Each structure stands twice: as structure tokens, then as C-alpha cells.
Amino acid sequence: NWDAYLAGKANKAQSAFYQPQPSEELYDTEADPHEVNNLAGSNPKMVKAMRAKLRAHMLDARDLGLIPELLMESVDLSGQQTIFEFGQSNANYPLERVLNLAIKASDGNPKDQSTFVKSLKDENPIIRYWGIVGLRILGEQAKGIDALMEKALADPEPSVRIQAAIYLGRMGQVDRAVGFLLKEAENAKGDMHAAWALDGIKLLDVKDSLAHYKDPLKALSKGSYSSRVVKFLRAGGTIANRPPRGFQR
């Protein structure tokens, strides 16, 4: 489990679950039901064929899974159209462009930095989101982007702002990032918006981030999702430190 991994008591197979994952994985689920041995590297032809099939299916079905949840929530709260209707419009959701960018972002290759930087100037918020995800995944491998990330803190799309704050926090501006994310949660109109902002604090591994709130649930919770994260943080939880059982009470 997580505690064993942190204590260095987990073996290689157990530790893999808690470590950064490759963008593509392939398993023989009959011989390897626990999916321990990733065969992607040794089966490039199969991976290429399966990748093409998945891509074709996603495009044919207009898979909505690449729309950030905060934008889905915003569409839902507007009451003007359903998420399905929103996703059928190529102006709203240029799926092929988004898919290409999401693949590059998950690959985490520094050679794609210029693509991510250009994406942050796009008019479409989904393109900007995947651009900034790509930069956040690059982390310290990304060069000369601090000013761009500062500008992204004022992006009209909250999912972009939250990713920018997480990046800056991981680059050393932890206190500032936590303060920004708390304000984001305070001002959020939707439950998922608040939850994402608070999850950003969890990812930055900051303890006692809610200590100055007399009633953090009242100040930050906007529904069931954000309430759970508030309780997690209130109990001292971080990405590396799970609070004791019963913290949800």
C-alpha cells in the first residue's frame, strides 16, 4: 500500500502503481491479470495498430472525455445546452486538434514545448487547457515559461488557471500557489471547480493549508466532491500523507 511504498518496503511491481505512468501501456491480461509487465515497448506494431483503432473510435464517437470537467460543469450550469450538444460543435470542441495535443501532452516530450506554448494563445479553452497540461507535465524540463504561466493565472477558463497555479507551486512558489487555489475554491460557483482547486493543494503536498479557516467547509465546500477534499485537507491530508480513518466525519 501507499504507506509501505513511502517506507521503501514495496517491491518493484508494487511500487510501479505509485510512480509516473507511461502514456501507453499494453498487457497480456490472461498471463498477467494484475497488469505488472508493460509490453508496449516490445510490441510496437501491436501498439501502433491499437492506437489507430482507438483514435478512429474516439473521432467517430466524438468522445467527450477530453473536455476538462470544469468546462463540462460550466456548460451544465448554464442550462443553455447539454454537454452532448456542446461537444457536437467543432467550434466548441475541435476534437482532432484536441486529441493530437492531448497525446503530445501525455507523452511529456520537451521537443513539444513550442506547441504547448502556442496552444496557450489559442481562442479555444480546451486547446489552452491541454497546452498548459503539457507544460505542467514537462515541469522543470520546460524552459523560459514563468511569464507565460503568470499570464495563465488570469485565463478566463478556471481549469487553465488551476494548472498554472500547480505548475508555479511545483517550481517553488508554494505559498502563493496555495493562496491562489484557496481563492479559486472560495469564488467557485460549481462543486467540481472548487474540488479541482483544492485537489491542486493536495498535489502540492502542503499540510495545514486550511488552518486559518474557522469553518473550512462553509468557506470552501460547494457540494459533495469539494466537501470530501476539504475534509481530507482539514485532517492534514496531502498527496504523500493520507489522514487517519474516519477523517470524512
Side-chain angles (χ1 to χ4, degrees):
N1 61 23
W2 177 244
D3 293 332
Y5 171 71
L6 290 178
K9 297 178 180 179
N11 62 33
K12 182 179 179 180
Q14 293 165 335
S15 298
F17 182 81
Y18 301 104
Q19 295 168 347
Q21 304 298 310
S23 59
E24 293 181 321
E25 299 175 74
L26 176 67
Y27 297 98
D28 180 346
T29 54
E30 291 186 357
D32 179 21
H34 299 295
E35 299 183 0
V36 172
N37 184 26
N38 183 7
L39 303 174
S42 57
N43 291 270
K45 289 184 178 180
M46 182 178 291
V47 170
K48 183 178 180 180
M50 294 178 74
R51 182 193 302 134
K53 287 183 178 181
L54 176 60
R55 178 185 180 85
H57 174 73
M58 291 181 72
L59 293 174
D60 182 61
R62 286 201 65 82
D63 190 323
L64 304 181
L66 297 176
I67 303 174
E69 290 176 303
L70 304 198
L71 185 54
M72 286 190 179
E73 181 178 61
S74 177
V75 170
D76 191 42
L77 291 174
S78 74
Q80 297 178 0
Q81 58 186 326
T82 65
I83 296 168
F84 175 82
E85 290 168 339
F86 174 89
Q88 303 315 298
S89 163
N90 207 52
N92 293 334
Y93 187 36
L95 178 54
E96 189 161 15
R97 288 180 62 209
V98 171
L99 179 56
N100 291 340
L101 187 57
I103 291 170
K104 287 181 181 292
S106 61
D107 283 343
N109 193 325
K111 72 178 179 63
D112 292 319
Q113 176 177 325
S114 60
T115 298
F116 303 145
V117 168
K118 182 179 179 181
S119 298
L120 273 180
K121 302 173 183 178
D122 201 276
E123 293 183 358
N124 188 283
I126 307 173
I127 294 292
R128 296 200 305 277
Y129 169 75
W130 282 106
I132 202 165
V133 167
L135 292 172
R136 181 181 65 75
I137 289 173
L138 288 181
E140 293 181 348
Q141 297 182 86
K143 305 301 181 184
I145 64 168
D146 284 0
L148 187 67
M149 288 302 202
E150 290 285 345
K151 186 176 181 180
L153 291 174
D155 194 278
E157 170 53 38
S159 59
V160 174
R161 298 195 299 267
I162 290 169
Q163 293 294 319
I166 294 170
Y167 171 86
L168 292 171
R170 286 181 168 173
M171 293 301 106
Q173 300 184 44
V174 178
D175 291 343
R176 181 182 176 215
V178 169
F180 182 93
L181 291 167
L182 288 173
K183 283 295 182 184
E184 193 76 36
E186 287 178 12
N187 296 329
K189 294 182 179 179
D191 184 27
M192 195 59 66
H193 182 172
W196 266 40
L198 296 167
D199 267 329
I201 296 172
K202 186 197 301 184
L203 289 173
L204 293 176
D205 210 21
V206 178
K207 288 186 178 181
D208 302 321
S209 57
L210 309 186
H212 63 286
Y213 287 100
K214 183 177 180 180
D215 187 346
L217 276 172
K218 183 176 181 180
L220 301 168
S221 175
K222 305 299 167 71
S224 60
Y225 290 106
S226 53
S227 176
R228 283 198 291 270
V229 188
V230 170
K231 291 176 182 178
F232 183 92
L233 294 173
R234 184 180 62 181
T238 70
I239 197 67
N241 179 56
R242 186 171 180 83
R245 292 181 179 180
F247 73 88
Q248 289 284 8
R249 291 194 290 271

